[in-house]
Amino acid sequence: EKATGAGPPVVCGAASCATVTDVPTMLSAGLPTTSGKVTFTYTPFSTEAMQRTLLDTQTESNGLTLYIHANNALILALGDGTAWSNLVSGAQTWTGLTAYRLEVEWGNGNAFIRKDGVLIASTTNGTAKRPTTRAANIAIGNLITGASPANGYVSKPQWSIQ
């Protein structure tokens, strides 16, 4: 099964959910750019180590992407139109079919990642980039291009301007 945003998950049938090519999106109007906070729930299908994109708003070298690296670390990539900065957590434990509440926050050169309310990565030295724009749509559970699917459910996204 694969989450498609609103509504019930899609059953992949004989195809692997990791190869399903739909890209669930929502309009990015209202999503903060230079500072903000995004929270959502991620429920992986398995504990398999693989790169998985959870949220993507990037356009060219601008926007933000949150993904799980193949080593199971969470990475928040922030681009300001000229360069990217990456905030990297340590390796995380992901248990199949367990829901995790994830939160990313950025602004004023600082960035934070929380998993189930626990701070797992932060930078407060002013080096985090400040996105100045974003794609017209937010890809949920994939890159905008459809690559690197989440291999799980991404649900209940919320964002706020700080």
Side-chain angles (χ1 to χ4, degrees):
E1 295 181 334
K2 181 174 181 177
T4 58
V10 173
V11 176
C12 297
S16 165
C17 289
T19 61
V20 172
T21 57
D22 66 316
V23 181
T25 63
M26 62 187 192
L27 294 175
S28 66
L31 179 71
T33 53
T34 58
S35 67
K37 179 168 56 172
V38 177
T39 60
F40 58 90
T41 300
Y42 172 57
T43 307
F45 290 136
S46 69
T47 58
E48 177 185 8
M50 59 187 287
Q51 186 155 318
R52 298 165 271 189
T53 301
L54 303 177
L55 182 70
D56 183 28
T57 71
Q58 66 177 293
T59 175
E60 300 295 322
S61 59
N62 217 321
L64 70 91
T65 301
L66 180 69
Y67 64 98
I68 300 171
H69 191 270
N71 68 2
N72 282 329
L74 270 170
I75 299 177
L76 174 62
L78 295 165
D80 65 2
T82 60
W84 289 93
S85 63
N86 290 325
L87 177 59
V88 183
S89 77
Q92 299 296 303
T93 301
W94 304 99
T95 302
L97 302 180
T98 299
Y100 299 95
R101 192 71 180 158
L102 300 177
E103 176 183 307
V104 295
E105 187 174 354
W106 68 97
N108 299 318
N110 303 319
F112 308 91
I113 303 173
R114 292 178 183 84
K115 179 182 174 191
D116 290 334
V118 176
L119 183 67
I120 60 171
S122 67
T123 183
T124 57
N125 61 7
T127 60
K129 300 297 181 187
R130 297 178 68 191
T132 57
T133 189
R134 63 194 174 286
N137 292 305
I138 302 165
I140 302 168
N142 277 294
L143 287 171
I144 293 283
T145 63
S148 188
N151 197 34
Y153 300 119
V154 177
S155 60
K156 303 177 188 171
Q158 300 174 321
W159 58 85
S160 61
I161 297 173
Q162 303 301 301

